[in-house]
Amino acid sequence: MSTLSIVDRLIGPERAARVIQPLVRELMTDDLLPETVAYRIVCEGVLAGDPWWLAEPGQGWALRSDVTEPAPALLVIVRRDTDQLTVEDPYGQRLQIPLCALAAYELEQWCWMRPDDDPHHTP
């Protein structure tokens, strides 16, 4: 199953679009890329499961089956600061890891905040 399908399955296609569109706009603004190029880059990154494009607080990342090094089986992202993450392991221990460490993991869970749960949402 492709990562885009996983993202669609985890949060739904409408929310997936709400994740992808800001990334496309950011590339267009920051890197002065045409929309079609920015969209292709973002979609390729999402399809590849690249944590740079996907990693967000509230997600659970499971250790890939082909990884033989000792590592927590699941990491939940608590906070992201560009290329650094605060994660929580299955025992509730919080760790600081570089974003690139998620290469040993794959996106498995995504807790999407409902609009009425968002403290910035005004009805």
Side-chain angles (χ1 to χ4, degrees):
M1 182 184 307
S2 74
T3 303
L4 192 54
S5 297
I6 290 170
V7 171
D8 284 347
R9 181 177 53 84
L10 292 176
I11 64 173
E14 181 181 315
R15 289 181 176 146
R18 289 186 359 211
V19 168
I20 289 171
Q21 289 305 321
L23 294 170
V24 170
R25 283 192 303 273
E26 185 178 324
L27 277 181
M28 290 170 57
T29 302
D30 294 351
D31 297 331
L32 304 175
L33 294 175
E35 183 177 10
T36 55
V37 174
Y39 188 80
R40 181 180 48 81
I41 290 169
V42 170
C43 286
E44 286 175 0
V46 169
L47 285 170
D50 187 339
W52 178 262
W53 300 107
L54 292 173
E56 299 232 354
Q59 294 174 338
W61 288 70
L63 191 64
R64 293 182 185 276
S65 59
D66 60 339
V67 175
T68 57
E69 304 157 12
L74 180 71
L75 296 175
V76 176
I77 300 175
V78 176
R79 184 174 154 185
R80 177 177 176 176
D81 294 317
T82 309
D83 60 353
Q84 291 291 313
L85 301 173
T86 301
V87 296
E88 193 169 287
D89 70 13
Y91 304 103
Q93 182 178 8
R94 289 203 172 177
L95 313 162
Q96 295 282 328
I97 64 169
L99 177 65
C100 62
L102 278 187
Y105 291 80
E106 57 193 350
L107 182 60
E108 184 176 274
Q109 304 170 25
W110 194 329
C111 299
W112 190 268
M113 185 181 296
R114 295 186 331 243
D116 57 339
D117 288 341
D118 185 348
H120 304 290
H121 176 75
T122 53

